[in-house]
Amino acid sequence: MCAAGFVFFAFRFISSKNLKAVELSTSIQEKINQQENLTKFKKVIQETNEKNALLKSYIVEQDRIDQLVTFLETKGDSVNVPIQIKNVDVSTTKQNTISLSFDGEGTFANVMNLVWIMENLPYSVNIDSLSISSDSSGKWKLNMKLDVTSNQIIQ
């Protein structure tokens, strides 16, 4: 009887320890799963931030229009078609839009190169109007109006 009591006690003790080990193992697995989910979540946040930064790079901030103008002038100079900005306007008819118009002058090839550059600016840009003409000296004149997406809603 004493031996049976000892076996019963040992069995209960071992069962209790096994149960605690299983609970501990389950708890550890839950913590591992939480850590894996946290790591995945952090990766998604980082990817989202990178995509958000890329998206923002396509939109001009209204308080940085001067940088956009300088950027456009630099692009014109880079292809030997210096441009003169005629007008910069925050559109009241087109929501979230900055309208820019400018003139330039150069060879036909350089003017066409500038048009290609303006079509492929790293911003959300629509060419509203484009006029190319030549004068008697063989110079080509460019008149262009761009609509650039802005980051602020105009009301």
Side-chain angles (χ1 to χ4, degrees):
M1 179 106 134
C2 194
F6 177 74
V7 171
F8 179 74
F9 176 74
F11 178 75
R12 293 279 305 216
F13 180 75
I14 292 171
S15 294
S16 172
K17 294 297 179 185
N18 282 344
L19 185 59
K20 287 182 181 180
V22 168
E23 289 173 355
L24 185 59
S25 176
T26 303
S27 177
I28 290 171
Q29 188 60 43
E30 287 174 358
K31 295 293 182 189
I32 290 171
N33 290 342
Q34 286 176 351
Q35 187 64 35
E36 288 174 353
N37 288 339
L38 183 61
T39 302
K40 289 176 187 177
F41 184 65
K42 285 180 180 179
K43 184 178 178 183
V44 168
I45 288 174
Q46 181 181 359
E47 290 172 356
T48 302
N49 287 340
E50 291 169 1
K51 289 177 182 179
N52 194 23
L54 178 63
L55 179 62
K56 284 183 177 181
S57 73
Y58 291 113
I59 300 173
V60 176
E61 296 181 29
Q62 287 188 8
D63 59 349
R64 296 181 184 230
I65 295 174
D66 58 331
Q67 292 177 354
L68 174 65
V69 169
T70 301
F71 178 76
L72 295 177
E73 290 172 337
T74 302
K75 290 298 180 185
D77 292 341
S78 73
V79 292
N80 296 318
V81 181
I83 62 172
Q84 299 79 38
I85 303 292
K86 294 185 339 187
N87 188 28
V88 177
D89 186 35
V90 177
S91 178
T92 56
T93 58
K94 297 177 184 175
Q95 197 173 32
N96 300 342
T97 302
I98 301 168
S99 297
L100 297 110
S101 58
F102 59 89
D103 293 328
E105 184 177 282
T107 66
F108 180 77
N110 290 349
V111 166
M112 292 308 293
N113 197 7
L114 181 62
V115 169
W116 182 87
I117 288 171
M118 294 301 165
E119 289 177 329
N120 294 288
L121 287 173
Y123 300 109
S124 176
V125 175
N126 289 318
I127 297 177
D128 188 43
S129 66
L130 171 66
S131 171
I132 301 173
S133 60
S134 67
D135 61 13
S136 58
S137 68
K139 290 282 185 179
W140 288 82
K141 297 184 185 287
L142 167 72
N143 178 279
M144 184 179 269
K145 182 177 178 189
L146 301 176
D147 290 334
V148 183
T149 301
S150 164
N151 70 335
Q152 296 178 356
I153 297 175
I154 312 302
Q155 300 205 11

